[in-house]
Amino acid sequence: MNRISPIGCKQRGIAALEFVVSAPLLILLVFAVTELAWAFHQYHTMTRATRDGARYMAANATVGSVGMIYLDATRVQETGNLIVYGNVTGAGAPLLPGWTQGDVAVTSPDAIHVRVSATYDYMPLVGTLPTFYGGEPLNLQFAMQSTVEMRAL
């Protein structure tokens, strides 16, 4: 005889119900972790490129043996290209989507240092999040900034 106990009948479908309740939370968690990892990747790329640009500018900013810092337009342009495109010629696609040389600033705060600043508007994967019970959707875009100051060599 193959009988189903009364307790077994009451337990049918519980696993499916638990999945229906927990699946949206798990999917939301996966999207949140993915978005956070994407933001971290973009910030890391921006800070690494800014550091490389500051190193390039610090190595090429002094003129002769007098040790004076000279920020000529060609070196500033090459530094911007290195930061945005990853090379001094400016060939290829930007390292980050939508990044331009207008987001890079090269200055000399004093007689022996160069400062390179870069900003980037974070581009989220999902765009905006809808809000519950009406209201404006949440925009996940924000500005990232990186500044590196190095002593000119």
Side-chain angles (χ1 to χ4, degrees):
M1 288 189 153
N2 197 3
R3 288 191 177 189
I4 299 175
S5 67
I7 296 175
C9 287
K10 292 180 183 178
Q11 294 294 320
R12 276 198 171 148
I14 293 295
L17 181 64
E18 289 173 350
F19 176 74
V20 167
V21 170
S22 63
L25 296 173
L26 293 173
I27 291 171
L28 182 66
L29 182 66
V30 166
F31 279 128
V33 168
T34 304
E35 192 70 47
L36 185 64
W38 179 243
F40 180 74
H41 167 71
Q42 287 187 340
Y43 183 74
H44 176 69
T45 300
M46 181 190 66
T47 56
R48 188 186 67 226
T50 306
R51 185 182 60 237
D52 291 345
R55 186 176 298 123
Y56 178 79
M57 193 65 201
N60 296 300
T62 57
V63 176
S65 62
V66 293
M68 297 293 296
I69 292 178
Y70 177 64
L71 302 178
D72 69 344
T74 304
R75 293 288 185 219
V76 171
Q77 179 76 23
E78 288 174 351
T79 301
N81 285 340
L82 181 62
I83 292 171
V84 174
Y85 298 102
N87 58 61
V88 294
T89 61
L95 296 175
L96 296 171
W99 208 13
T100 64
Q101 283 193 342
D103 299 326
V104 177
V106 179
T107 59
S108 177
D110 55 33
I112 60 172
H113 291 94
V114 293
R115 179 181 294 152
V116 177
S117 299
T119 58
Y120 177 67
D121 291 328
Y122 170 66
M123 301 295 212
L125 293 173
V126 285
T128 59
L129 289 179
T131 56
F132 298 104
Y133 307 112
E136 295 295 320
L138 298 174
N139 188 0
L140 298 178
Q141 187 173 359
F142 63 93
M144 295 179 178
Q145 183 176 1
S146 176
T147 301
V148 178
E149 187 171 318
M150 287 189 178
R151 184 169 188 261
L153 303 174

